[in-house]
Amino acid sequence: MYVYDLGRAVAARDRLFEALPEGFEVYYALKANPHPDVARALHEGPGHGCRAEISSSGELSAALTAGFAGAECLYTGPGKTAAELNKAMECGVRMFSVESLSDATHVGLAASRHGTVADCLLRINAPATAASTGIRMMGKASQFGIDSETLPETMRQLTTVPGTRIVGAHFYTMSNAADEAALIGEFESAIALASRLESKLGLPLEFLDIGGGFAAPYAAPGVRAEYPRLRSELERMLDRYLPRWRTGSLRLAVESGRHLVAESGCLLVRVVNIKAGRGRTFVILDAGINALGGLSGIGRLLPVAARLDGGEQSLVATLSGPLCTPGDTLGRDVNLPELQVGDIITIPNTGAYGVTASLLAFLGRETPYEVVLRGAEVVSVSRLDVQRSYRVMKPEVL
């Protein structure tokens, strides 16, 4: 069972707004946790509210259910299909991040079919910088972004695609950067490059999304990173490279997922078996990678060790799930208290990349419950429905 504390998510949102210069927009990346109650809490309430960053029709539906308007969504991703773009246009989405000339063309065709013009940000794949922390998202060959060195040849084509209006640039340099200096350095590189592209190549620059990278622990004890110098440093670099931001003529944005919601969630799992053999102890749980997959399919593995609360840590064991595969392991050499069958273990900081980042349909087990709290109030109890039978369709639907 996942438990989400909306107060923690809202506190993280408000703290991030405080760390940014006045006027910055924050886009919540629904990939981190698309639960409508969680997204709604980040969107609503007094003071600052988030917009939505989405990259599928499913995330668009979740955003709309949570109360975001289509006009508050930024649609990203390198493989937008005609059907997805049509749905987005129907729902009022008008802001897209485009990753290539062909991607921009697809957006323009969809917009033209709906008698409108789509505002597009060029996602730029900038050269690598010296940052050594976090997960690198730029500076190498990738399906993401337009290589910056090609822009002198392609800018004219990109800015004249029918059905589109280029309004700015989108960068996403790194993910999960706990080192504030590294993150600041990445942001400065992006802002400086945006300024050069505007002055030398004529990039229209009404909107600048400098991405994210704000860190938080995952499935292990800890607290989200703080960035006490970020506000003053962003003001300094914007004053240097894009001074008109002070007039309000340039929209500025960041995006964040895990930083906003990781601390808000925990996963409660039950011990169903304890097995010892050949010098190792295995604590077998009622949930594994089917409930806490950790995006392991793209190399984001769970920690191989984590301390969990619950008394004196006198047991070292492997935490295994219930699936019939040796890959169903949540942690190795984990320090634990002495446990018995039926005990409950709490895995902290699982409000991001939990349920929907997991192998939900593998081996057909029940999906975990998701319980949403606001203080002591239970806001909702839900369970994501995964179809267990195939719905037969007529061939012509293809």
Side-chain angles (χ1 to χ4, degrees):
M1 179 173 71
Y2 279 90
V3 180
Y4 307 128
D5 182 338
L6 297 182
R8 286 178 175 268
V10 170
R13 177 200 67 188
D14 292 347
R15 185 66 173 164
L16 181 56
F17 270 109
E18 290 171 4
L20 297 167
E22 192 68 30
F24 260 80
E25 300 171 14
V26 174
Y27 281 78
Y28 172 53
L30 265 78
K31 64 175 68 69
N33 187 336
H35 194 290
D37 288 330
V38 174
R40 184 178 297 110
L42 293 172
H43 179 239
E44 295 179 342
H48 295 292
C50 292
R51 292 170 175 260
E53 185 265 314
I54 58 175
S55 57
S56 70
S57 295
E59 287 186 347
L60 172 57
S61 294
L64 297 174
T65 300
F68 293 90
E72 296 177 298
C73 297
L74 169 62
Y75 206 114
T76 68
K80 310 173 189 74
T81 68
E84 291 169 339
L85 290 170
N86 183 63
K87 179 69 173 178
M89 295 293 174
E90 288 178 351
C91 294
V93 179
R94 292 295 181 268
M95 180 73 78
F96 296 83
S97 173
V98 295
E99 316 260 1
S100 63
L101 177 58
S102 58
D103 189 25
T105 301
H106 297 154
V107 171
L109 286 171
S112 296
R113 283 195 296 268
H114 285 79
T116 189
V117 174
D119 287 342
C120 293
L121 306 177
L122 299 184
R123 179 163 175 175
I124 310 297
N125 184 9
T129 64
S132 59
T133 64
I135 300 170
R136 296 293 311 158
M137 297 294 289
M138 293 200 317
K140 56 186 178 182
S142 170
Q143 70 268 42
F144 297 111
I146 301 164
D147 296 339
S148 57
E149 63 271 20
T150 69
L151 286 171
E153 301 173 359
T154 60
M155 183 65 75
R156 181 181 172 279
Q157 290 174 283
L158 287 164
T159 54
T160 56
V161 174
T164 70
R165 186 175 76 96
I166 302 302
V167 297
H170 177 201
F171 296 86
Y172 202 101
T173 62
M174 66 193 312
S175 178
N176 207 31
D179 185 320
E180 183 179 31
L183 186 64
I184 288 171
E186 294 289 329
F187 284 157
E188 182 150 18
S189 295
I191 291 169
L193 179 55
S195 176
R196 290 197 302 273
L197 293 175
E198 180 187 38
S199 61
K200 295 187 176 183
L201 299 183
L203 170 68
L205 197 58
E206 303 171 19
F207 189 111
L208 177 59
D209 181 345
I210 60 174
F214 308 107
Y218 179 61
V223 296
R224 67 180 182 276
E226 293 282 345
Y227 302 99
R229 295 173 46 228
L230 183 60
R231 182 177 185 134
S232 61
E233 287 294 303
L234 282 173
E235 290 175 345
R236 174 192 61 77
M237 60 185 77
L238 287 166
D239 285 341
R240 176 181 177 184
Y241 297 107
L242 295 166
R244 73 175 189 278
W245 80 279
R246 293 278 186 183
T247 69
S249 60
L250 174 63
R251 287 178 63 188
L252 295 162
V254 296
E255 54 201 77
S256 181
R258 77 175 75 218
H259 186 77
L260 295 176
V261 295
E263 279 189 333
S264 71
C266 63
L267 174 62
L268 306 182
V269 293
R270 189 183 303 276
V271 177
V272 296
N273 197 10
I274 300 174
K275 176 184 179 292
R278 295 185 176 173
R280 299 188 68 85
T281 298
F282 295 85
V283 175
I284 301 166
L285 309 170
D286 64 354
I289 57 175
N290 59 312
L292 186 63
L295 297 176
S296 56
I298 58 172
R300 299 188 187 183
L301 301 175
L302 293 178
V304 296
R307 277 185 84 83
L308 303 179
D309 296 334
E312 183 181 352
Q313 313 289 317
S314 57
L315 174 66
V316 178
T318 294
L319 290 178
S320 299
L323 306 184
C324 291
T325 170
D328 191 15
T329 299
L330 294 185
R332 299 179 178 87
D333 298 324
V334 181
N335 296 297
L336 300 163
E338 289 295 330
L339 295 169
Q340 297 180 353
V341 171
D343 284 347
I344 302 295
I345 291 176
T346 301
I347 303 177
N349 290 314
T350 50
Y353 300 116
V355 175
T356 54
S358 304
L359 302 177
L360 291 176
F362 187 47
L363 288 172
R365 300 186 70 89
E366 290 282 3
T367 58
Y369 287 103
E370 294 177 89
V371 178
V372 179
L373 304 178
R374 182 180 289 109
E377 174 196 0
V378 176
V379 176
S380 66
V381 178
S382 60
R383 172 178 267 173
L384 192 62
D385 182 25
V386 178
Q387 293 290 339
R388 290 192 170 186
S389 59
Y390 289 94
R391 182 160 55 96
V392 179
M393 302 180 184
K394 295 180 179 181
E396 50 265 32
V397 303
L398 301 178

